[in-house]
Amino acid sequence: MPELPDIDLYVGSLGERIAGSRLTALRLRNPFLLRSVEPRPAALEGRRVEALRRIGKRIAIGFGDDYWLVLHLMIAGRLRWYDAPPALASRNDLAAFDFSTGSVKLTEAGSKKRASLYVVHGEAALAAHDPGGLEPLACSFEEFAARLTAENRTLKRALTSPRTFSGIGNAYSDEILHAARLSPVTLTRRLADDEQRRLYAAMQQVLSDWRERLQREFAGRFPDKVTAFRPGMAVHGRYGKPCPDCGSPVQRIRYKQNETNYCARCQTGGRIYADRALSRLLKDDWPDRLEA
């Protein structure tokens, strides 16, 4: 799922191309993409783009008279830029947004179509799409610590909750926890003050560094490879590969469709947590220490 650095990249790239332009057509190939009833999408046609925002992991495009288009890409939704209106022929094509300066196509790979599109009118209606998470790059340490410890949850769950922090998901939470040298299953209220400060600093550094890195990589061109698995990541998506800091094999915790990656030596004092699939298979032979 695109997260804060990726969504900011999309918002910036869209702003360079559609700010001040007019929406000439909104074409839906998959009617289930649209989750709102009123206003109708036709209400946006002919209106000028006046604002672009990131709301959590959502992209909000503002038009004249306070109309908004709110797009949530979910896991597999991606955007493509075209100089001319593209055809919607592939099974992965969900919609096209034709502007006076070019077109944006929304695609979603896989059979489960989870991406969503809303058309809303007014700031109050737009605010209803904000889960309320704290902006991680705009908050003070005191605000961060208060929000982190408001509930006693694992660090992984706290970082990825959209109601706690805005725009952080599975990928960058792994990277943040590795940079902070903290276990993903440590409870939020068990952190000492220095550990909270380390986590805060790691969050700001990881998100800032990746946002700047992606903006440099795609400078002048529309991002065509938005992915949760990027070369240069320390642990996310690197199960079994060496940790870049200590060389130990990266470990994982799998639960349903989610996977947490971590370095046992750097983050857990050598302890290996049970993996839902492998620990059931190995049972008593499951190694709970890195040395094993």
Side-chain angles (χ1 to χ4, degrees), residues 98-118:
D98 300 327
F99 296 91
S100 55
T101 53
S103 296
V104 179
K105 181 194 285 188
L106 169 63
T107 66
E108 187 174 20
S111 59
K112 295 182 179 180
K113 304 304 182 186
R114 297 171 176 170
S116 62
L117 175 68
Y118 292 82

Side-chain angles (χ1 to χ4, degrees), residues 188-206:
T188 54
R189 291 178 180 171
R190 296 193 64 178
L191 290 185
D193 181 75
D194 66 308
E195 292 175 318
Q196 291 182 3
R197 292 183 181 277
R198 206 161 72 227
L199 182 60
Y200 172 74
M203 176 185 71
Q204 297 223 317
Q205 180 178 356
V206 167

Side-chain angles (χ1 to χ4, degrees), residues 229-273:
F229 307 98
R230 293 189 177 278
M233 284 188 163
V235 291
H236 183 73
R238 291 177 49 82
Y239 172 64
K241 297 179 180 179
C243 167
D245 294 339
C246 74
S248 300
V250 171
Q251 305 299 320
R252 70 183 177 191
I253 306 169
R254 288 195 296 183
Y255 180 72
K256 295 183 178 180
Q257 296 181 343
N258 292 323
E259 180 173 311
T260 296
N261 295 124
Y262 66 97
C263 173
R265 180 158 296 168
C266 293
Q267 296 176 250
T268 68
R271 183 179 179 184
I272 298 178
Y273 299 122

Side-chain angles (χ1 to χ4, degrees), residues 122-149:
E123 285 287 341
L126 180 64
H129 291 270
D130 187 348
L134 195 66
E135 283 297 332
L137 294 178
C139 65
S140 67
F141 168 72
E142 290 72 23
E143 292 170 327
F144 168 80
R147 186 64 66 93
L148 181 71
T149 57

Side-chain angles (χ1 to χ4, degrees), residues 14-62:
L14 286 171
E16 294 172 358
R17 290 162 175 80
I18 67 173
S21 69
R22 294 185 182 275
L23 181 71
T24 58
L26 196 165
R27 296 178 285 137
L28 297 176
R29 184 175 187 272
N30 188 327
F32 297 103
L33 172 69
L34 182 64
R35 307 297 173 85
S36 59
V37 178
E38 292 291 341
R40 304 296 296 170
L44 302 178
E45 294 182 0
R47 297 187 184 275
R48 189 182 302 276
V49 176
E50 297 184 349
L52 287 107
R53 298 182 191 173
R54 176 184 58 81
I55 302 178
K57 297 174 187 173
R58 296 162 176 81
I59 297 171
I61 304 175

